[in-house]
């Protein structure tokens, strides 16, 4: 049984009739790792205000940034390094498993056309995901920085927060009203993702795609 809780506070405001700001922060309490904060901020400003009589339409710039967490599952908690070495001499050197953490940033531009009946959006985004949970063998635990005496206290290995990756790219979309009952829309997303740490990954490759290292459970 877990007893978890959280609270979130948000404030919204408008500046000079053109800029809209939303800010908030959440505080999560989880029995597995304790407390964690998740702040976020959104700003949108009109460089050109909406008008039904203008062919060019409105121009809006937006900015969003925030942090989020994902709690480990019950299975991961029960098989974490901290739990597996309880009752041994290595327990004092082991730390509790923590949440997976993500930081997201995006900057976007929206432009209206055709008296508000068409709109183009484009945005750049960058996401960082850290402290991801992965299962490591005793050898991999030492490679991740766990003392050898603590790693040896596990039977086969344990879950810890040791993996990370980042993803960035561009999102674009277009929509327009082509008559009273027809709406046209199209979108495209470019994604560039890179695994920055993955101690559970091996040097194995798939013969279909030679030269691309893959792991048994993660990239």
């Amino acid at each position: 049984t877990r007893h978890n809780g959280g609270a979130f506070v948000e404030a919204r405001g408008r500046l000079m009739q053109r800029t809209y700001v939303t800010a908030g922060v959440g505080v999560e309490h989880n029995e597995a790792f304790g407390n964690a904060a998740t702040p976020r901020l959104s700003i949108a400003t009109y460089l050109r205000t909406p008008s039904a009589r203008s062919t060019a339409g409105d121009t809006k710039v937006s900015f969003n940034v925030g942090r989020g967490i994902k709690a480990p599952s019950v299975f991961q908690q029960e098989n974490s390094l901290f739990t597996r070495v309880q009752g041994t001499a290595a327990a004092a050197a082991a730390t509790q498993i923590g949440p997976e953490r993500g930081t997201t940033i995006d900057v976007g531009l929206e432009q209206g056309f055709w008296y508000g009946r068409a709109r183009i959006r484009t945005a750049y985004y960058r996401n960082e995901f850290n402290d991801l949970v992965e299962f490591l063998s005793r050898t991999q635990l030492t490679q991740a920085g766990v003392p050898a005496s603590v790693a040896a206290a596990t039977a086969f290995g344990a879950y810890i927060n040791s993996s990370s990756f980042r993803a960035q790219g561009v999102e674009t979309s277009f929509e327009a009203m082509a008559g009273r009952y027809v709406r046209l829309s199209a979108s495209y997303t470019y994604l560039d993702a890179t695994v920055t740490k993955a101690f559970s990954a091996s040097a194995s490759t798939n013969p279909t795609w030679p030269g691309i290292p893959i792991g048994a459970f993660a990239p």
Side-chain angles (χ1 to χ4, degrees):
T1 301
R2 279 185 179 178
H3 297 280
N4 305 325
F8 187 80
V9 178
E10 183 178 88
R12 301 177 183 179
R14 184 173 63 177
L15 305 174
M16 300 181 292
Q17 306 299 317
R18 287 175 174 260
T19 301
Y20 299 83
V21 180
T22 301
V25 61
V27 177
E28 305 287 341
H29 176 77
N30 188 285
E31 285 197 353
F33 55 80
N35 300 319
T38 55
R40 61 198 68 177
L41 171 68
S42 296
I43 301 174
T45 184
Y46 282 96
L47 304 181
R48 182 185 177 92
T49 56
S51 174
R53 294 176 292 180
S54 174
T55 304
D58 59 287
T59 303
K60 183 173 71 172
V61 177
S62 60
F63 170 78
N64 302 286
V65 60
R67 299 201 65 182
I69 63 169
K70 178 184 177 182
S73 67
V74 174
F75 181 81
Q76 291 171 336
Q77 179 185 356
E78 291 302 310
N79 292 276
S80 66
L81 178 66
F82 179 83
T83 304
R84 288 201 167 190
V85 299
Q86 292 303 300
T88 70
T95 57
Q96 180 65 276
I97 192 171
E100 298 180 328
R101 303 178 186 273
T103 302
T104 64
I105 299 175
D106 68 78
V107 180
L109 175 67
E110 294 187 22
Q111 179 64 54
F113 295 98
W114 198 16
Y115 304 101
R117 289 177 287 182
R119 182 168 297 275
I120 293 178
R121 300 181 179 91
T122 183
Y124 165 79
Y125 63 90
R126 181 180 178 90
N127 304 326
E128 298 275 352
F129 300 96
N130 301 297
D131 298 328
L132 303 183
V133 177
E134 61 180 342
F135 184 88
L136 302 184
S137 66
R138 288 185 292 182
T139 301
Q140 293 167 337
L141 286 171
T142 58
Q143 293 173 348
V146 176
S149 58
V150 178
T154 65
F156 304 102
Y159 283 97
I160 64 170
N161 302 93
S162 57
S163 180
S164 64
F165 75 94
R166 64 122 179 106
Q168 62 181 349
V170 177
E171 294 180 333
T172 60
S173 65
F174 167 79
E175 63 180 27
M177 292 298 298
R180 186 175 180 181
Y181 301 105
V182 179
R183 177 188 294 271
L184 303 177
S185 63
S187 61
Y188 173 78
T189 299
Y190 171 76
L191 170 64
D192 173 32
T194 301
V195 177
T196 51
K197 285 194 302 182
F199 293 98
S200 64
S202 65
S204 61
T205 58
N206 187 325
T208 307
W209 297 281
I212 301 177
I214 60 175
F217 306 104

